[in-house]
Amino acid sequence: MTTESEMPVVVPHDAAWRERGRALCAELGAALGPLALRVEHIGSTSIPGMAAKPVYDLQVSVAGLDEAEAVFAPPLAGLGFTLSPYRRDHVPAGLEDDLSRWAKRFWFRRGPAADPVNLHVRRTGSPNERLALLFRDWFRAHPAAVPAYAHFKYALASRVSDTGTYADIKDPVVDLVIVVAEAWAAETGWTPDA
């Protein structure tokens, strides 16, 4: 099973997402050990007021992807996660960059017995690790932008039949948000460690 064949379903924000995301991060941090340098709740469920697919996006920052993949595979399998063949993130439009800098490992968990999770494992200091945190933090700092993005997601989910297509269409909109977010980061001195 891959997540790309799922129907995209966007639901109103649930205030419980934040605390549950925090608990999932703690659970994964304990299970993955010291190679997990940082475990963060990212994506729409981490943004107050944001409508979202009811799936937690979590990011684990690591020094090396190959070592993390080998070490994380047993504990993640024990927690019901499946490794996806998907090994790279979308590179924002207009950015000429070495694709290897956007590498990642991706696990997912679905099923009735546990919270659904997309687990993104990215290298510390990589542009994709930074982008996920910047996206989250910019929306948190700009709650007036949340309803417009949520409306876009509702409209998109109602018009496509799978999450792969949903993600492909959503990526250019995320690229636009990031352009504005990068200016905000430069103006405020935001960093992923802030």
Side-chain angles (χ1 to χ4, degrees), residues 90 92-93 135 138 170-182:
H90 161 79
F135 180 86
W138 184 84
K170 191 170 58 104
D171 280 343
V173 176
V174 171
D175 294 350
L176 290 170
V177 171
I178 291 302
V179 168
V180 174
E182 287 290 4

Side-chain angles (χ1 to χ4, degrees), residues 33-149:
L35 284 184
L37 302 176
R38 202 156 108 174
V39 183
E40 302 241 18
H41 184 195
I42 60 168
S44 291
T45 59
S46 72
I47 299 167
M50 181 66 77
K53 293 192 284 55
V55 176
Y56 294 92
D57 282 288
L58 305 179
Q59 176 170 271
V60 177
S61 300
V62 299
L65 292 173
D66 292 334
E67 181 183 17
E69 181 178 350
V71 172
F72 292 174
L76 288 175
L79 293 171
F81 285 87
T82 300
L83 179 63
S84 167
Y86 185 64
R87 298 174 80 80
R88 184 177 58 81
D89 280 312
H90 161 79
V91 177
L95 180 62
E96 300 297 325
D97 201 0
D98 179 353
L99 296 180
S100 68
R101 290 175 23 90
W102 295 80
K104 74 179 204 179
R105 299 298 183 269
F106 179 70
W107 278 267
F108 62 93
R109 179 173 72 188
R110 301 293 187 273
D115 291 305
V117 174
N118 290 332
L119 182 63
H120 309 265
V121 178
R122 296 175 172 125
R123 284 188 305 259
T124 297
S126 66
N128 49 348
E129 179 212 32
R130 181 183 184 282
L131 186 143
L133 299 170
L134 175 59
F135 180 86
R136 178 197 68 192
D137 291 353
W138 184 84
F139 269 112
R140 285 179 175 176
H142 297 86
V146 169
Y149 188 66

